[in-house]
Coordinates of all heavy atoms in Angstrom, one line a residue:
T1 N -6.9 1.8 -3.4 CA -7.6 1.5 -4.7 C -7.1 0.4 -5.4 O -7.4 0.3 -6.6 CB -7.5 2.9 -5.6 OG1 -6.2 3.1 -5.9 CG2 -8.2 4.0 -4.9
D2 N -6.4 -0.6 -4.6 CA -5.9 -1.6 -5.4 C -6.8 -2.9 -5.7 O -6.5 -3.9 -6.2 CB -4.5 -2.2 -4.8 CG -4.7 -2.6 -3.2 OD1 -6.0 -2.6 -2.8 OD2 -3.8 -2.6 -2.5
G3 N -7.9 -2.7 -5.0 CA -9.0 -3.7 -5.2 C -9.0 -4.8 -4.3 O -9.9 -5.7 -4.2
L4 N -7.9 -4.9 -3.3 CA -7.9 -6.0 -2.3 C -8.8 -5.8 -1.2 O -8.9 -4.6 -0.7 CB -6.5 -6.1 -1.9 CG -6.1 -7.1 -0.9 CD1 -6.3 -8.5 -1.5 CD2 -4.8 -7.1 -0.4
R5 N -9.6 -6.7 -0.9 CA -10.6 -6.6 0.2 C -10.3 -7.9 1.1 O -10.9 -8.9 1.0 CB -12.0 -6.7 -0.4 CG -13.1 -6.4 0.7 CD -14.5 -6.5 0.1 NE -14.7 -5.3 -0.8 CZ -15.1 -4.1 -0.2 NH1 -15.3 -3.9 1.0 NH2 -15.3 -3.1 -1.1
P6 N -9.4 -7.6 2.0 CA -9.1 -8.8 2.9 C -10.2 -9.1 3.9 O -10.9 -8.3 4.2 CB -7.8 -8.4 3.6 CG -7.9 -6.9 3.7 CD -8.7 -6.5 2.3
D7 N -10.2 -10.3 4.5 CA -11.1 -10.7 5.5 C -10.6 -10.2 6.8 O -9.5 -10.1 7.1 CB -11.3 -12.2 5.5 CG -12.0 -12.6 4.3 OD1 -12.9 -12.0 3.7 OD2 -11.7 -13.8 3.8
P8 N -11.6 -9.8 7.8 CA -11.1 -9.6 9.1 C -10.4 -10.8 9.6 O -10.7 -11.9 9.4 CB -12.4 -9.4 9.9 CG -13.3 -8.9 8.8 CD -13.0 -9.7 7.6
G9 N -9.1 -10.5 10.4 CA -8.3 -11.5 10.9 C -7.1 -11.9 9.9 O -6.2 -12.5 10.4
S10 N -7.2 -11.3 8.7 CA -6.1 -11.5 7.8 C -4.9 -10.8 8.4 O -4.9 -9.9 9.1 CB -6.4 -11.1 6.4 OG -7.5 -11.7 5.9
V11 N -3.7 -11.2 7.8 CA -2.4 -10.4 8.2 C -1.9 -9.9 6.8 O -1.8 -10.7 5.8 CB -1.4 -11.4 8.9 CG1 -0.1 -10.7 9.2 CG2 -2.0 -11.8 10.2
L12 N -1.4 -8.6 6.9 CA -1.0 -8.1 5.6 C 0.2 -7.0 5.9 O 0.3 -6.5 7.1 CB -2.1 -7.4 4.8 CG -3.1 -6.5 5.6 CD1 -2.5 -5.0 5.8 CD2 -4.4 -6.3 4.7
D13 N 0.9 -6.7 4.8 CA 1.7 -5.6 4.9 C 1.2 -4.3 4.1 O 0.4 -4.5 3.3 CB 3.1 -5.9 4.2 CG 3.9 -7.0 4.8 OD1 3.7 -7.3 6.0 OD2 4.8 -7.6 4.1
I14 N 1.5 -3.2 4.6 CA 1.1 -2.0 4.0 C 2.4 -1.2 3.4 O 3.2 -1.0 4.1 CB 0.5 -1.1 5.1 CG1 -0.8 -1.7 5.8 CG2 0.0 0.3 4.3 CD1 -1.3 -0.9 6.8
L15 N 2.3 -1.1 2.1 CA 3.3 -0.6 1.3 C 2.9 0.9 0.7 O 1.7 1.2 0.5 CB 3.7 -1.3 0.0 CG 4.2 -2.7 0.2 CD1 3.3 -3.8 0.8 CD2 5.0 -3.3 -1.1
A16 N 3.9 1.7 0.8 CA 3.7 3.1 0.3 C 4.5 3.4 -0.9 O 5.8 3.1 -0.8 CB 3.9 4.1 1.5
T17 N 3.9 4.0 -1.8 CA 4.8 4.5 -3.0 C 4.8 6.0 -3.0 O 3.7 6.5 -3.3 CB 4.2 3.9 -4.4 OG1 4.3 2.4 -4.3 CG2 5.0 4.3 -5.6
L18 N 6.0 6.6 -2.8 CA 6.1 8.0 -2.8 C 6.6 8.5 -4.1 O 7.0 7.8 -5.0 CB 7.1 8.3 -1.6 CG 6.9 7.7 -0.3 CD1 7.9 8.1 0.8 CD2 5.5 8.0 0.2
D19 N 6.3 9.9 -4.2 CA 6.7 10.5 -5.4 C 8.2 10.5 -5.6 O 9.0 10.8 -4.6 CB 6.2 11.9 -5.4 CG 6.3 12.7 -6.7 OD1 7.4 12.4 -7.4 OD2 5.5 13.3 -7.2
A20 N 8.7 10.0 -6.7 CA 10.2 9.9 -6.7 C 11.0 11.2 -6.6 O 12.1 11.3 -6.2 CB 10.5 9.3 -8.2
R21 N 10.3 12.3 -6.9 CA 10.8 13.6 -6.6 C 11.0 13.9 -5.1 O 11.9 14.7 -4.8 CB 9.9 14.7 -7.4 CG 10.0 14.6 -8.8 CD 9.0 15.6 -9.5 NE 7.6 15.1 -9.0 CZ 6.5 15.8 -9.4 NH1 6.6 16.9 -10.2 NH2 5.3 15.5 -9.0
D22 N 10.3 13.3 -4.4 CA 10.3 13.6 -3.0 C 11.4 12.7 -2.3 O 12.1 13.2 -1.4 CB 9.0 13.3 -2.3 CG 7.9 14.1 -2.6 OD1 8.3 15.3 -3.1 OD2 6.7 13.8 -2.5
V23 N 11.7 11.5 -2.7 CA 12.6 10.7 -2.2 C 14.0 10.7 -2.7 O 15.0 10.3 -2.2 CB 12.1 9.2 -2.2 CG1 10.9 9.1 -1.4 CG2 11.9 8.7 -3.6
G24 N 14.2 11.2 -3.9 CA 15.4 11.3 -4.6 C 15.7 10.1 -5.4 O 15.1 9.0 -5.2
G25 N 16.7 10.1 -6.2 CA 17.0 8.9 -7.1 C 17.7 7.8 -6.6 O 17.8 6.8 -7.1

């Protein structure tokens, strides 16, 4: 839902933001 609409052929990283309670401080 970040609004980015890349073109086919583009190269990108996929980042994940997890709940801080799940990963610990």
Side-chain angles (χ1 to χ4, degrees):
T1 57
D2 56 16
L4 182 63
R5 184 179 294 276
D7 294 325
S10 302
V11 178
L12 50 77
D13 294 344
I14 302 176
L15 289 73
T17 299
L18 308 178
D19 192 318
R21 293 170 297 182
D22 293 339
V23 299

